[in-house]
Amino acid sequence: VPDGPPEPSLESDSEIDYTQLRDHLKAGEWELADNEHRRLLIILAGEDAYDRGWVYFTEVALIPVKDMNTLDTLWSFYSDGRFGFRVQRKLWIAKKRQWDKFFKSIDWTFGENDTYRKWPEGFDWDKGKNAAKGHLPLTNALRGTQLFNAIMEHPAFVPAVDPNKPKKEGVGGGFGYGGAMTPAGDTDRSKEYWAEEKVKSETRGVFGGSANGKSAATQINEAAEKFFKFVKKPKWMK
């Protein structure tokens, strides 16, 4: 009788061989596993990403759900549920999608000023499973939040939505305006966000009065229209 659950299957819709990643994770070779994980993500993201040597956030959508699930399942299985994208996403949402708090919780920053750890020497690979929950993989340590946002909202990780209930979480990156990010499919939060921005513009002149003859409120409405080109426009905006 085998001990414990069976090892994850190495499924792929892109003819990717996950054997090396599995073997590194199984052996507790965390830095080698992270390097292999990064290499595979670049391959999965397409020829442009491969030629460039890194993944642009819009290319995340090209990665098949099956392959994303395989990557995540391998990290989770061999870390006893401590690492992987789903673990990171759960922690990210628990921190209300606030990147600074999230990065601190997974030990990607340190000190009173939340200084980012340098890669790779700033990370203590020897901690292994004793590292902070969600610490690995280090996909986004150097690439800002757009890439991470796209991964966290990949269809492989967004919970299924009951079609009979209002949509709570969306698929995709998000439209940034004035440094703010809103989840692309979260129409309830998007409505709240744009309403707040309109109030700010009218009461405090967030956009500095007018631009090109347009009022701040008009600019807000146009920005909202641009945002909803990426998602299904909610009833409140029709």
Side-chain angles (χ1 to χ4, degrees):
V1 179
D3 295 330
E7 294 186 343
S9 57
L10 307 181
E11 298 181 341
S12 175
D13 278 337
S14 303
E15 299 182 352
I16 296 293
D17 182 4
Y18 292 101
T19 303
Q20 193 169 357
L21 175 61
R22 180 201 62 194
D23 292 346
H24 286 318
L25 289 169
K26 191 174 183 179
E29 298 168 340
W30 304 106
E31 185 172 8
L32 293 176
D34 193 66
N35 290 338
E36 174 66 3
H37 168 89
R38 187 177 300 104
R39 185 185 73 85
L40 293 175
L41 273 181
I42 291 170
I43 294 173
L44 286 164
E47 292 184 7
D48 289 342
Y50 183 81
D51 292 340
R52 189 189 309 118
W54 51 272
V55 180
Y56 192 58
F57 75 98
T58 57
E59 295 165 336
V60 172
L62 301 175
I63 301 176
V65 168
K66 183 176 289 185
D67 288 83
M68 275 294 207
N69 278 325
T70 296
L71 287 169
D72 180 68
T73 301
L74 286 170
W75 277 103
S76 179
F77 183 86
Y78 292 108
S79 67
D80 297 331
R82 294 190 61 78
F83 302 147
F85 291 137
R86 284 186 174 84
V87 172
Q88 290 174 337
R89 189 176 194 277
K90 185 175 181 180
L91 294 169
W92 177 57
I93 292 175
K95 297 298 180 182
K96 301 186 184 302
R97 293 180 166 85
Q98 296 180 43
W99 296 109
D100 55 343
K101 294 182 179 180
F102 169 64
F103 289 155
K104 193 173 186 66
S105 73
I106 62 174
D107 197 27
W108 284 10
T109 59
F110 66 95
E112 294 181 359
N113 296 324
D114 293 338
T115 304
Y116 283 86
R117 296 188 182 279
K118 293 182 179 180
W119 179 85
E121 66 272 14
F123 294 87
D124 188 355
W125 303 97
D126 294 333
K127 283 185 178 180
K129 297 178 187 178
N130 293 321
K133 191 171 184 178
H135 187 64
L136 297 172
L138 301 180
T139 309
N140 199 56
L142 299 176
R143 291 289 172 194
T145 58
Q146 285 184 309
L147 174 60
F148 212 146
N149 192 91
I151 292 174
M152 295 294 95
E153 299 290 8
H154 191 278
F157 310 127
V158 175
V161 177
D162 185 339
N164 297 318
K165 294 182 179 180
K167 196 170 185 180
K168 295 299 181 182
E169 291 186 285
V171 178
F175 180 79
Y177 195 78
M181 294 294 295
T182 59
D186 193 338
T187 55
D188 291 337
R189 291 179 59 204
S190 299
K191 177 181 178 181
E192 179 181 335
Y193 169 76
W194 291 113
E196 288 178 356
E197 289 300 303
K198 187 173 182 180
V199 170
K200 289 178 185 177
S201 70
E202 292 171 341
T203 59
R204 295 198 295 272
V206 170
F207 291 90
S210 62
N212 299 323
K214 298 178 182 179
S215 69
T218 298
Q219 294 175 64
I220 288 292
N221 288 333
E222 290 180 353
E225 286 288 347
K226 290 180 182 178
F227 167 73
F228 283 107
K229 285 182 180 179
F230 294 94
V231 296
K232 183 178 180 182
K233 188 179 293 187
K235 293 180 180 179
W236 62 267
M237 203 171 181
K238 294 179 179 179

